[in-house]
Amino acid sequence: MRILVVEDEPRLLRNLAKALREEGYAVDTAGTGDDGLFKAETYNYDALVLDVMLPGLDGWEVLARLRKQKRTPVLMLTARDATSDRVRGLDTGADDYLVKPFDLPELLARLRALIRRSANKTTNKIELGAVTLDTRARSVTNAGAAVTLTAREYAILEYLALHRGKVVSRSELYEHLFDETDDTLSNLVDVHVFSIRKKLGQQIIATRRGQGYCIE
Ligand code: CA
């Protein structure tokens, strides 16, 4: 899952990006509303964390312009718990909002919920035959036994599982799982898929020649 964080306060931006990467997300960052809008329009993120108070285009304006094109889930960060902000956020098309200062675990929980909702999932568990993913713990079991996947392997499996039945191209996987700071060496999707199959069985992910991968 790839997240864009738009926040002009450098320290908060850094800390958020670090915390989200530790949770296994690919994270892009923007320090201004203009840069944030550009990235949000250019790439297909799984969710945005968008601060309201930004220099230049503020968070409301970014959201309003983005909504003319895309339904990317947006979590707004508002400065105060004013009812007018809440109403405005929901009217403008925000999916959720958090009041600063916030607790990191709450932000992470709300992000997970946003991403789940956009994939029409209501729980943290995804069942693929004998294989079960826990998207909260980011853990996998096979017939009840824990299976250890690397962060990359888990991210690929989870993305395919959330888009079950759909053929996902390699370029879509790259776009959603690797961020602007990734080097190319760690990006070999085929190698990760090979490794996932070794751990969970060949049948877990199907290859559609010339199109991509699919969990049926
Ligand atoms: Ca700000």
Side-chain angles (χ1 to χ4, degrees):
M1 299 294 151
R2 185 171 173 186
I3 311 287
L4 174 65
V5 182
V6 189
E7 165 61 69
D8 60 316
E9 197 196 311
R11 209 177 121 188
L12 181 56
L13 182 60
R14 242 188 348 263
N15 289 343
L16 274 177
K18 181 166 177 279
L20 289 168
R21 288 200 181 101
E22 282 168 6
E23 287 292 302
Y25 294 107
V27 183
D28 289 354
T29 58
T32 67
D34 299 77
D35 189 30
L37 179 63
F38 170 77
K39 286 181 176 171
E41 287 179 336
T42 306
Y43 306 106
N44 289 314
Y45 292 102
D46 297 286
L48 256 69
V49 176
L50 178 59
D51 188 31
V52 168
M53 301 292 284
L54 294 167
L57 286 182
D58 69 10
W60 302 122
E61 193 60 30
V62 171
L63 178 63
R65 295 197 191 183
L66 180 68
R67 279 291 172 263
K68 289 182 180 155
Q69 296 187 35
K70 285 187 173 179
R71 283 297 319 156
T72 314
V74 173
L75 174 63
M76 300 289 289
L77 301 179
T78 67
R80 62 206 134 77
D81 191 11
T83 310
S84 59
D85 264 11
R86 234 177 304 168
V87 170
R88 187 170 175 190
L90 297 173
D91 275 350
T92 316
D95 298 272
D96 200 359
Y97 70 96
L98 250 178
V99 178
K100 284 177 166 180
F102 53 83
D103 290 328
L104 195 55
E106 185 173 7
L107 180 132
L108 295 174
R110 283 169 183 255
L111 259 187
R112 279 194 301 270
L114 271 191
I115 292 170
R116 227 166 43 215
R117 280 207 298 275
S118 72
N120 290 317
K121 294 272 181 291
T122 51
T123 73
N124 288 308
K125 303 263 193 229
I126 305 175
E127 314 252 344
L128 309 167
V131 174
T132 303
L133 275 73
D134 183 329
T135 58
R136 179 168 190 179
R138 300 178 56 74
S139 62
V140 177
T141 58
N142 190 4
V147 177
T148 306
L149 298 185
T150 66
R152 290 279 193 233
E153 291 162 8
Y154 177 83
I156 290 171
L157 184 67
E158 183 192 82
Y159 190 85
L160 291 172
L162 285 172
H163 298 84
R164 193 173 186 174
K166 183 186 166 221
V167 179
V168 178
S169 67
R170 284 179 181 76
S171 59
E172 183 175 343
L173 280 174
Y174 279 112
E175 182 166 10
H176 285 272
L177 303 180
F178 304 114
D179 62 39
E180 55 196 4
T181 67
D182 271 303
D183 58 52
T184 49
L185 281 180
S186 61
N187 291 0
L188 298 166
V189 167
D190 297 6
V191 173
H192 296 305
V193 169
F194 177 81
S195 176
I196 294 168
R197 285 178 176 145
K198 233 167 103 178
K199 293 175 180 177
L200 293 171
Q202 281 298 320
Q203 74 294 340
I204 186 84
I205 296 172
T207 301
R208 296 291 172 77
R209 204 171 290 275
Q211 296 180 63
Y213 295 110
C214 178
I215 290 181
E216 281 148 358

